Amino acid sequence: MPNQPKEFWDTRAQTYDSDSGKIYAETNDKTARRSLQYLKPTDRVLEFACGTGLITFRMAPRVSHIRGIDISPKMVDAALKKAREQGAANVEITNTDLFDPCLEPGSFDAVAAFNVLLYLPDLPAALARIRELLKPGGMFLSATDCLGSRPSAVGLKKLVKSHTGSMPYVAFFTQRGLARRIAQNGFTVLERENLFPNPPNLFVAARKA
C-alpha cells in the first residue's frame, strides 16, 4: 500500500468527497463560516492542501482570489473540475508544494490549512513558511483533528496504519498543545473552537505576529 503522501492522497481522491466530505460536511460548513469572519472581500487567500476543494468553494464567493494548492495531482484534478463546473473565476488550483518558490513571500492576506497539520512531520517548518507567505498582520486559519485529546476509533486506526507504513506520518496533538505550537511559531491566536465531537477538530484563527 502507498505510504508516501502524494501517492496516498492520490488513492483517496476518487472517494474523498463521498467519504470524508460526507462525514465532515457540517464541520466543513462551520470551518468556512468561522474562517470568513476573518476574511475581507479584497483578500487574496492561499489554501494549503486544498484537496478536492471541499472548503475552497465555500469561501471563494467572499474573497477576491483564492489559490488552492495540493501535492496530489488527482485531488487537484477533482478540484479543477469543480472550478470549471461552478464557473469559479476567482479560484486557482495548482499541483504545488507549500515550499515551491513560485509562492512569493508576503503575497497573501490569509493562508488556510484545513485537515492537514496532523500529517506534517515538520510542523514548525510549515508554520514558518506560512508566516513567510503572509503579509504583515495576515491571518492563518486552520482546522485539524486533534487525535491526542481523547481516544477514538479514528485515532486508533490512523495510529496502526501510520506505524505499519500503510499511510504517511500522523501527529497526535491535543487541542491545547496544537494552539500552543501555533503561538510559539510567530502567531497570535485569536480564536480556537472544537468543531467535531470525536476526534476533536480544532479550528484556530491566528494573526501573524
Side-chain angles (χ1 to χ4, degrees):
M1 296 181 70
N3 59 9
Q4 296 303 308
K6 181 177 79 66
E7 288 75 14
F8 177 80
W9 293 110
D10 271 350
T11 65
R12 296 287 312 279
Q14 187 173 359
T15 60
Y16 193 73
D17 286 7
S18 59
D19 293 343
S20 294
K22 184 176 181 180
I23 295 169
Y24 285 96
E26 184 178 351
T27 301
N28 289 337
D29 282 336
K30 290 179 181 177
T31 299
R33 289 198 302 269
R34 289 286 186 277
S35 297
L36 287 168
Q37 293 177 2
Y38 297 94
L39 298 175
K40 303 184 298 295
T42 55
D43 280 350
R44 292 181 57 83
V45 180
L46 175 71
E47 186 184 356
F48 164 44
C50 66
T52 64
L54 287 173
I55 301 177
T56 315
F57 297 99
R58 287 169 161 90
M59 298 193 301
R62 301 274 298 278
V63 299
S64 175
H65 183 269
I66 184 165
R67 177 170 181 174
I69 61 170
D70 203 285
I71 61 169
S72 163
K74 292 187 178 180
M75 289 283 192
V76 167
D77 287 344
L80 284 171
K81 181 180 178 182
K82 291 180 185 178
R84 291 191 297 268
E85 292 172 347
Q86 297 182 26
N90 69 329
V91 176
E92 177 185 6
I93 307 289
T94 61
N95 182 203
T96 305
D97 182 83
L98 180 66
F99 295 90
D100 193 302
C102 73
L103 302 173
E104 298 182 5
S107 57
F108 296 99
D109 298 288
V111 174
F114 303 129
N115 304 309
V116 64
L117 297 187
L118 76 164
Y119 300 117
L120 303 179
D122 192 347
L123 180 61
L127 291 173
R129 174 60 168 160
I130 288 168
R131 190 174 184 277
E132 179 184 50
L133 294 173
L134 284 168
K135 296 177 181 178
M139 291 299 304
F140 173 49
L141 305 165
S142 70
T144 308
D145 279 352
C146 293
L147 301 176
S149 289
R150 65 178 72 115
S152 68
V154 170
L156 178 59
K157 185 177 180 180
K158 290 184 177 181
L159 176 66
V160 172
K161 284 189 171 184
S162 63
H163 278 275
T164 58
S166 60
M167 75 176 295
Y169 171 87
V170 180
F172 283 73
F173 302 123
T174 63
Q175 294 179 68
R176 183 177 296 179
L178 177 58
R180 184 171 60 247
R181 290 191 183 201
I182 292 171
Q184 289 172 342
N185 283 275
F187 294 93
T188 300
V189 174
L190 305 179
E191 178 187 356
R192 61 187 184 101
E193 181 182 353
N194 178 26
L195 303 181
F196 196 78
N198 199 29
N201 187 268
L202 183 68
F203 171 79
V204 175
R207 191 180 304 280
K208 177 178 176 177

